[in-house]
Amino acid sequence: MLVTQTLACETVYAVLSGQNLTEALNTTWRQNPSITPQQRGAVQDIAYGTLRHLGLLEALLNTLASKPLKELELKVLLLTTLYQLQFTRAGAHAVVDHAVNVAAKIGQGKGKGLVNAVLRSFLRQKDELVTAAQKNERAKFNHPKWWMTEMKNAYPKQWQQILQANNQHPPMTLRVNRRHCDADHYLTLLGECGIGARRLGDFSIQLDKAQPVDALPHFFDGWVSVQDWGAQAAAHLLDVKDGMRVLDACAAPGGKSGHILELAAVELTAIDADAGRLKRVDDNLARLNLSAKVLAADASNPAAWWDGKPFDRILADVPCSATGVARRHPDIKWLRRPEDFAEFARQQEKMLDELWPLIASGGKLLYATCSVFPAENTLSAEAFARRHPDARREELSSEHIPADLLDGQLLPNSEHDGFFYALFTKVN
């Protein structure tokens, strides 16, 4: 337990110092190649859980400590330990003892007494402390105040649902490859393997419990892919047909590219500015036995890569705050800043304006984000339409997408993450 406690602290420390959680965990794995799968899972659980419940944990710590902690290492140690004591089944006394041992290695070990006192005080009165802390909205909903204010203004009826969904464990959802079978058939295969699941749509399945992909029937034969149901809407809304020329403008890791090719025999170009992530596109397409032209390229600079032939369809899954997938990346809640949205809006505007001339007359562009903030969703789509009189915004409909899509916005819930879509047809 001492190893997992130490590594979890190092990971959360890196995040609270500004590094995103994925990068922090990857660094931890690289620097500790000999840890067991069980230790790795424990580190990941503590890191994710601490960040998921950071508002409450900080409120508890502020109450328990007589004065604010100056040493970030000690603060992180206490936060991760409070998470274990409140949200896991780990033995309380063993967790406290290990935390004290870790504290002995921080600085000159002067924090041992503080750590011991804070944690034992929590154990003595934790129910009362938690109840009192949750009277504060930041602690109750585990989001920064500015984020909660934005949600209240944008979604006065649903803001609590959105925040609560962000704090849940995300569902594991499968996209069934229609070239092999449908959801009902695959549900039968899952049942034969003892895997509980339910049907979301004709080609969408939500598992009762997350599974390793090698436990899924025919996964490596390309029968299914792991993809959120909300993300699956993109390919359906793009309305691709056989023979079309299609661009996936921000393709990595390749889930939407694969889905497009499953739906129709199109000539697909998949590009991404991050050359390192393109290997995942290649890997995903290879597993599905599909092919596309995959390029390391910047969608906002077509002059460097476009061959001059118009596209019938463009999927512009633009850079955004990723606030709609915060439950998968709980660090987003604490690393995002209000000023970030102006920069995202600038990037989105440039990309859309550069991609629009690449669309053939009568062709369609689907603007997509994994965000719930209007500044990069509704407002951005409306601004694009004003800049381009030849862009007609279409109604969104498909029998294969979540029924709660409203004005292009999907809000996170038990079935899917948060996404936004706006479809434009070139009418000149």
Side-chain angles (χ1 to χ4, degrees):
M1 184 180 287
L2 187 60
V3 172
T4 58
Q5 186 103 341
T6 301
L7 296 182
C9 287
E10 291 175 357
T11 302
V12 174
Y13 181 94
V15 172
L16 296 186
S17 299
Q19 190 176 37
N20 76 54
L21 179 55
T22 300
E23 292 173 352
L25 283 170
N26 286 339
T27 299
T28 298
W29 308 150
R30 284 196 304 271
Q31 294 177 348
N32 300 275
S34 63
I35 62 172
T36 67
Q38 292 77 14
Q39 290 173 321
R40 185 173 175 141
V43 170
Q44 188 162 302
D45 174 76
I46 296 170
Y48 270 82
T50 300
L51 293 167
R52 188 170 280 127
H53 300 285
L54 187 63
L56 173 62
L57 298 172
E58 286 187 333
L60 291 170
L61 183 54
N62 289 340
T63 300
L64 289 161
S66 58
K67 56 184 179 180
L69 295 177
K70 295 181 180 179
E71 301 87 352
L72 182 57
E73 285 179 288
L74 276 181
K75 178 181 177 180
V76 168
L77 172 59
L78 284 166
L79 291 171
T80 55
T81 308
L82 286 170
Y83 163 73
Q84 294 173 78
L85 294 175
Q86 176 63 20
F87 294 101
T88 75
R89 297 179 179 178
H93 294 294
V95 169
V96 172
D97 288 344
H98 281 92
V100 172
N101 289 333
V102 173
K105 299 180 180 181
I106 296 175
Q108 296 179 339
K110 295 179 179 179
K112 284 179 60 178
L114 171 67
V115 168
N116 186 58
V118 166
L119 297 177
R120 296 196 183 280
S121 179
F122 173 72
L123 289 175
R124 285 194 300 271
Q125 50 186 328
K126 71 175 186 175
D127 291 342
E128 296 87 343
L129 288 168
V130 170
T131 299
Q134 289 181 332
K135 293 178 181 178
N136 177 283
E137 282 194 340
R138 186 179 186 274
K140 179 179 180 180
F141 293 106
N142 288 292
H143 284 72
K145 183 177 179 180
W146 67 266
W147 188 317
M148 291 189 288
T149 299
E150 290 289 335
M151 292 298 95
K152 290 177 184 179
N153 292 335
Y155 309 102
K157 294 182 180 180
Q158 304 107 321
W159 69 272
Q160 292 191 42
Q161 167 212 314
I162 296 167
L163 300 179
Q164 289 165 348
N166 285 349
N167 295 327
Q168 302 303 311
H169 287 273
M172 183 172 178
T173 306
L174 306 180
R175 182 189 79 235
V176 181
N177 187 344
R178 64 181 56 221
R179 295 179 179 232
H180 293 287
C181 66
D182 60 14
D184 290 333
H185 183 186
Y186 199 77
L187 279 171
T188 300
L189 297 180
L190 289 172
E192 292 171 353
C193 295
I195 298 175
R198 68 187 185 98
R199 180 179 179 272
L200 295 176
D202 290 346
F203 300 94
S204 301
I205 291 173
Q206 185 179 105
L207 301 183
D208 294 344
K209 182 180 179 182
Q211 302 288 333
V213 294
D214 56 8
L216 302 175
H218 299 295
F219 177 83
F220 295 105
D221 299 320
W223 282 43
V224 290
S225 298
V226 179
Q227 187 182 37
D228 185 82
W229 194 28
Q232 293 180 38
H236 291 296
L237 294 173
L238 200 58
D239 187 32
V240 291
K241 301 288 191 299
D242 289 353
M244 283 184 171
R245 183 173 159 84
V246 180
L247 172 68
D248 186 349
C250 301
K256 296 181 180 70
S257 292
H259 196 189
I260 290 169
L261 290 165
E262 288 173 9
L263 295 179
V266 301
E267 180 188 340
L268 179 68
T269 299
I271 68 172
D272 200 276
D274 188 339
R277 297 183 71 212
L278 284 174
K279 184 180 185 305
R280 293 187 63 191
V281 178
D282 289 325
D283 290 345
N284 276 320
L285 294 180
R287 183 180 61 81
L288 295 168
N289 196 27
L290 298 169
S291 62
K293 183 179 182 181
V294 180
L295 298 174
D298 182 355
S300 61
N301 183 26
W305 54 268
W306 185 42
D307 61 9
K309 299 178 182 178
F311 291 99
D312 301 295
R313 298 286 188 272
I314 292 181
L315 171 58
D317 192 357
V318 299
C320 71
S321 63
T323 49
V325 294
R327 61 186 174 189
R328 299 184 189 275
H329 306 279
D331 53 310
I332 287 173
K333 296 187 295 184
W334 312 109
L335 296 181
R336 287 282 175 259
R337 297 292 180 265
E339 54 269 24
D340 294 342
F341 294 89
E343 175 59 22
F344 284 125
R346 186 196 66 77
Q347 295 176 25
Q348 292 159 3
E349 178 178 321
K350 178 172 175 55
M351 185 176 293
L352 291 173
D353 289 350
E354 291 291 338
L355 289 174
W356 188 243
L358 279 58
I359 289 278
S361 179
K364 297 179 181 180
L365 179 147
L366 182 65
Y367 171 70
T369 76
C370 53
S371 169
V372 293
F373 279 75
E376 51 190 350
N377 291 346
T378 303
L379 297 181
S380 185
E382 291 173 350
F384 173 76
R386 288 194 296 271
R387 295 194 305 273
H388 298 277
D390 58 342
R392 182 182 69 217
R393 189 168 175 182
E394 305 289 358
E395 291 290 328
L396 299 179
S397 65
S398 170
E399 61 182 314
H400 301 298
I401 65 175
D404 57 321
L405 180 70
L406 181 63
D407 296 328
Q409 185 70 62
L410 285 171
L411 299 177
N413 61 26
S414 61
E415 294 184 337
H416 56 71
D417 294 336
F419 291 89
F420 177 81
Y421 297 107
L423 183 66
F424 297 96
T425 297
K426 182 171 280 190
V427 296
N428 65 341

